[in-house]
Amino acid sequence: MDCAQEVSLLRRQLSRRPGVHHLDFHVLEGRMRVEFDPRRITAEQLAGAVALTGMRAQPWAAAQPREGWLHRRWRLLTTAASGALVTVGMLLELAASDRPLAALLGAHGEHGAAPLAALLCYLAAAVVGFGPSLPKAASAAKALRPDLHVLMTVSIIGAFVLGEGFEGGSLAFLFALAGMVESWSIGKARSAISSLMRLSPASAAVVEGGTERRVPAESLRTGDRVRVRPGERIPCDGTVAAGRSTVDQAIITGESLPVEKEPNSQVWAGTMNGEGVLEVRVTREPSDTTLARIIRMVQESAHRRAPSEQFVERFARYYTPAMLALAAGVILLPPLAWGAAWSYWFYQGMVILLISCPCALVISTPVTITAALASAARHGVLIKGGAYLEEAARLKVVAFDKTGVLTRGRPAVEQFVPLNGRGARECLGHLAALEHTSEHPLARAVVEYAAGEGVRPAVAAGFRSLPGRGAQAEVGGKTFWAGSQRLLREKGLATEEVRRALERLEDSDHTAVACGTEDEVWAVVGLRDPVRPEAVAALDQLRRAGIHLFMLTGDNRATAQAVARQLKLASFRSDLLPEDKAAAVAELRNAHDAVAMVGDGVNDAQAMSSASVGIALGRGATDVALETADIVLASDDLARLPFLVRHARRAARVIRQNVAAALALKAAFLGLAALGLATLWMAVLADMGASLLVTFNGLRLLRAENKI
């Protein structure tokens, strides 16, 4: 199953069978899913119905058995045999005649009858080249839904009836060649997805009680400990339990350089270990790894058809019968109305039939979209269908959540100000001791800052959380606390010096925290959720692409304004609840039509659903956001967003080019036919040329461009 026409044949053959409830097709995988009532129809009967179309059905397995050499090359061999037979027939015909090659390739009636040997070669070429398509033609004719196969059958038979054996054999060979190229193009896209599946290793070295044993990677379970040697691919998603190394994780994050890994670092299945030995604790089941999700999203996207693809199919549905009617008029009207020669006008009707074949038009869009989806996946952008690819090409506005999208999503210490003559390292050691047992994001930021400054935490005991105010513990024999201005006032330590220090931090858009003992304040700390390092450049690229940018956040206005100023965002809304974000996106959509919402959390899911396109940052996104999103930036990198826009726009351009080229070639050759200058072999060569043109133009998208 390689094209939309074969899908249509299968749908017509199976959909009306008693007991068949639902059909679903995945052209990219060559897979058909049938929901049926086994009491009314069996799997064997379904396979028999498929066989009536000239195709073969077998039960699907995730790991398909390897096909034999002959089966893999059957289409190539039959096409080559058909071409060889046409060539032999042509040589025999030329040898038996003193006419030049130009006469053989000329219009109907310009060359004499072919010798019997040549005619038999042409007939054999037609049987070998077009024979496998005859059941498809019969199925389409029986359903009164004439398609490309019906047109070709009529044209090939008509050529032999008229004594044009060379043209009949050539038609069959060129049709087989076009089908082989189409199958090859789908195979290229399939291999792009298959290459992702091969990234995860088949086995893993599990460490238990000091011993190591090899097990299949799919048998790993959460909590298992896996040893990964230098140069091996990591078989699971997990955290480093022991060891240090660098890991090439470009397939997941898009980072061009290997990343240092140490205990507690996160790693992903399919990434490549560098020079050190790592022991990794499994945190996700094999079926739920980041790589497995990427593969599933890409596979599921293949059958979600784009609007342009649906339009082309609807167009072809009416276009083909119209061309059949036109050809019938050309064949019948001149002989019946004016007594013209039947053979001449029958020939011209066959030419019109072949010129009008919608093959290039029908394959132009799915090949392009399939290539674009596969290429985007290789660059860390998972698009869940052609419809969303086309919608991304139309984007006029992109709305962003702030926390975790435009900012890192976790605060960091930016200023540490000791007071009352205290030393910075002493203060930081006491504060890190207090915060070391807390799970609060601000506490983790302090602990990370102390580690970065090379300060070892002191020893703390009796930790106690003070909800809404802070925390305290016993450090160095004294009660040491850290918290908000409310806690500071409760302790009666809000001196003028301390208030001024806190105000300076808050005026510069920091979250201010004070710390000290029951007697005095030791230090004040300024924390801020920093802007992502790639955000400024990514947003600038989007502006240059003509896209308007908005920020929607639940934070207060002062914080939102500070981030907007850093990112040069003129438009933002603050203090928004999840339903407020969704309403804001709906307003933007009413005003600008095509709007994307970029988020990463549960509170963004509603707004993402309200947008034309919901986009999630994959690595840090919640499961709800990933399920809601239409597009996932698996690399968790905002730089992928301008890539998505330019890639989608490029795909839209290629689709327009392909449709225009296919229609233009049809119009040009119909014009030649009207002047009596077109021949049957020229018609099919033009159709095959158009098919090759749109196929190779679409496959260019497998190689993504990196510039706007």
Side-chain angles (χ1 to χ4, degrees), residues 101-102 209 304 368 425 456 476 567 600 639:
L101 179 63
R304 294 172 179 161
T368 302
R425 296 184 69 83
R456 293 176 60 86
L567 296 175
D600 72 331

Side-chain angles (χ1 to χ4, degrees), residues 306-307 372-373 376 381-398 542 545-547 589 593-598 611-615 630-633 640-653 655-656:
L373 294 178
V381 179
L382 311 179
I383 306 172
K384 296 183 179 179
Y388 308 123
L389 177 73
E390 290 198 357
E391 199 66 31
R394 298 175 54 245
L395 285 179
K396 298 180 177 67
V397 172
V398 176
L542 289 173
I547 291 178
R589 195 169 177 183
D593 185 27
V595 176
M597 174 68 193
V598 186
S612 313
V613 180
I615 302 174
D630 306 312
I631 298 172
V632 177
L633 307 183
R640 297 292 90 189
L641 196 54
F643 163 82
L644 164 65
V645 171
R646 61 181 177 259
H647 187 62
R649 289 179 177 180
R650 183 179 174 221
R653 286 196 304 272
I655 290 170
R656 289 193 296 269

Side-chain angles (χ1 to χ4, degrees), residues 275-595:
E275 71 286 349
V277 176
L278 294 176
E279 289 192 7
V280 178
R281 184 174 290 106
V282 179
T283 58
R284 283 185 181 271
E285 298 289 322
S287 62
D288 197 37
T289 65
T290 302
L291 182 61
R293 288 183 175 191
I294 289 173
I295 293 167
R296 275 200 303 274
M297 286 178 184
V298 175
Q299 288 174 334
E300 290 168 3
S301 72
H303 71 287
R304 294 172 179 161
R305 296 184 302 161
S308 62
E309 192 173 357
Q310 296 174 37
F311 164 76
V312 166
E313 285 190 23
R314 287 195 302 269
F315 177 81
R317 190 182 305 160
Y318 298 105
Y319 167 83
T320 302
M323 290 297 101
L324 274 172
L326 175 62
V330 168
I331 292 169
L332 298 173
L333 188 59
L336 292 176
W338 302 293
W342 281 97
S343 63
Y344 176 82
W345 289 104
F346 184 79
Y347 185 90
Q348 294 304 317
M350 294 300 99
V351 170
I352 288 174
L353 276 184
L354 283 178
I355 289 172
S356 63
C357 282
C359 184
L361 189 63
V362 169
I363 70 170
S364 61
T365 304
V367 166
T368 302
I369 288 174
T370 299
L373 294 178
S375 176
R378 290 209 305 265
H379 286 76
V381 179
L382 311 179
I383 306 172
K384 296 183 179 179
Y388 308 123
L389 177 73
E390 290 198 357
E391 199 66 31
R394 298 175 54 245
L395 285 179
K396 298 180 177 67
V397 172
V398 176
F400 297 87
D401 177 45
K402 179 185 76 68
T403 306
V405 175
L406 294 176
T407 65
R408 287 186 179 276
R410 63 177 190 270
V413 174
E414 291 196 350
Q415 293 193 46
F416 189 86
V417 184
L419 299 173
N420 294 316
R422 293 286 177 179
R425 296 184 69 83
E426 180 189 14
C427 294
L428 190 53
H430 277 61
L431 181 58
L434 169 64
E435 302 288 28
H436 197 269
T437 53
S438 174
E439 290 299 317
H440 194 282
L442 297 182
R444 289 199 297 271
V446 168
V447 172
E448 288 176 7
Y449 178 74
E453 294 293 312
V455 174
R456 293 176 60 86
V459 178
F463 175 86
R464 185 160 66 96
S465 176
L466 305 173
R469 295 171 293 162
Q472 65 183 40
E474 296 297 316
V475 183
K478 292 184 177 181
T479 298
F480 195 85
W481 57 268
S484 64
Q485 290 199 50
R486 177 183 173 188
L487 181 61
L488 185 68
R489 289 193 296 270
E490 286 179 4
K491 293 188 176 293
L493 299 174
T495 65
E496 187 64 28
E497 180 189 9
V498 173
R499 279 199 298 270
R500 282 199 304 271
L502 291 171
E503 286 170 2
R504 281 195 299 271
L505 289 175
E506 290 175 344
D507 288 344
S508 59
D509 307 314
H510 288 80
T511 297
V513 172
C515 64
T517 63
E518 298 293 343
D519 302 323
E520 63 179 355
V521 176
W522 283 30
V524 292
V525 186
L527 301 99
R528 184 160 55 189
D529 183 6
V531 166
R532 284 174 174 267
E534 78 275 14
V536 173
L539 268 56
D540 282 344
Q541 290 182 58
L542 289 173
R543 288 189 192 94
R544 290 200 300 273
I547 291 178
H548 302 290
L549 307 176
F550 287 79
M551 181 175 70
L552 307 174
T553 178
D555 275 345
N556 60 65
R557 182 172 180 81
T559 302
Q561 198 165 29
V563 173
R565 187 164 53 247
Q566 291 181 68
L567 296 175
K568 303 174 187 175
L569 286 169
S571 304
F572 69 90
R573 296 189 189 181
S574 57
D575 300 298
L576 299 178
L577 296 172
E579 56 267 29
D580 299 327
K581 287 185 182 180
V585 169
E587 288 178 25
L588 290 172
R589 195 169 177 183
N590 288 335
H592 301 279
D593 185 27
V595 176

Side-chain angles (χ1 to χ4, degrees), residues 7 33 58 106 159 216 218 237 257 262 270 292 304 393 400 416 424 455 505 595 646 700 707:
V7 169
R33 186 165 61 89
Q58 62 185 31
E218 62 266 20
D237 280 10
L257 297 175
E262 57 186 16
R304 294 172 179 161
F400 297 87
F416 189 86
V455 174
L505 289 175
V595 176
R646 61 181 177 259
R700 287 191 302 119
K707 59 183 180 181

